[in-house]
Amino acid sequence: MDTHSEIAPDRRERALKALSEKPDGVVESIAAGADVTAAEILAVLPEGSAVIAGKERFDEIWSELTTWGVVLFLVHTEDVVAEIDGILPAGSESHGWFNIHGDSPIGGHIRKDNCASITFVDRAFHGRRSCSVWFMNQKGAAMCKVFVKRDAGRELMADQLVKFEALRDRYASL
């Protein structure tokens, strides 16, 4: 899926300019400053930094993420950035929601039908490599993100990084 061609030229130009000014900043802040969406910022990252999988891959990607152990689950709204460490629970669908509950601090309900794509993001964030999986909605915003955790030395956890790279590479080749 090539989102680069889907961005209007003026929006693409604004996204590229904003990203060049703060290449390792918070994607949502960069997007807001350029009056574009987070998805448009992700689309102009250097090649390979954002690999997009179709929404029909939601279940298989979510299922794989439940095997990673303790991850950082993040929900970023205009007013709150909620960061929760925990094992990602398996989900089940009921009453129009993808419900996640289990023996984890991560729980709740996701409007799975609003998911437009899943993006594997591998980029610098405040000077350090950051790897995450973003569940994107039709408005170009992240519904939620799952990050590869860091160890006590602030390095990406090697076992999760291997899993992230393998999963990302699987969808990069589609």
Side-chain angles (χ1 to χ4, degrees):
M1 182 181 300
D2 178 19
T3 59
H4 297 269
S5 60
E6 297 173 15
I7 303 172
D10 63 317
R11 295 179 69 84
R12 181 177 174 75
E13 184 177 316
R14 289 197 317 265
L16 283 165
K17 182 178 185 302
L19 186 61
S20 72
E21 293 169 0
K22 186 70 172 153
D24 67 345
V26 176
V27 168
E28 288 83 355
S29 297
I30 296 167
D35 193 28
V36 298
T37 66
E40 289 168 317
I41 295 296
L42 295 178
V44 300
L45 289 174
E47 187 169 339
S49 296
V51 172
I52 300 170
K55 65 183 179 180
E56 68 279 0
R57 306 296 187 173
F58 184 102
D59 291 333
E60 64 196 58
I61 291 171
W62 189 274
S63 179
E64 177 66 28
L65 294 173
T66 66
T67 71
W68 287 16
V70 176
V71 295
L72 174 63
F73 183 79
L74 192 141
V75 176
H76 185 150
T77 72
E78 183 178 332
D79 300 309
V80 175
V81 177
E83 300 177 354
I84 307 152
D85 289 337
I87 295 171
L88 201 63
S92 62
E93 294 185 54
S94 180
H95 305 290
W97 293 91
F98 184 75
N99 304 294
I100 51 174
H101 299 292
D103 190 22
S104 173
I106 300 171
H109 315 278
I110 298 172
R111 181 80 65 198
K112 181 179 158 188
D113 289 346
N114 287 353
C115 183
S117 62
I118 299 110
T119 305
F120 296 87
V121 180
D122 185 346
R123 65 183 285 265
F125 179 67
H126 296 306
R128 300 184 74 94
R129 184 180 182 195
S130 175
C131 296
S132 52
V133 182
W134 296 35
F135 292 82
M136 304 297 291
N137 67 22
Q138 294 114 350
K139 295 177 183 176
M143 300 168 69
C144 61
K145 307 172 193 177
V146 178
F147 282 81
V148 171
K149 285 280 293 169
R150 295 189 181 278
D151 62 21
R154 305 291 303 144
E155 297 301 321
L156 294 173
M157 294 179 63
D159 61 330
Q160 285 185 10
L161 183 57
V162 166
K163 289 180 178 188
F164 170 85
E165 290 171 339
L167 191 58
R168 175 203 59 204
D169 294 350
R170 184 182 326 157
Y171 293 99
S173 64
L174 295 180

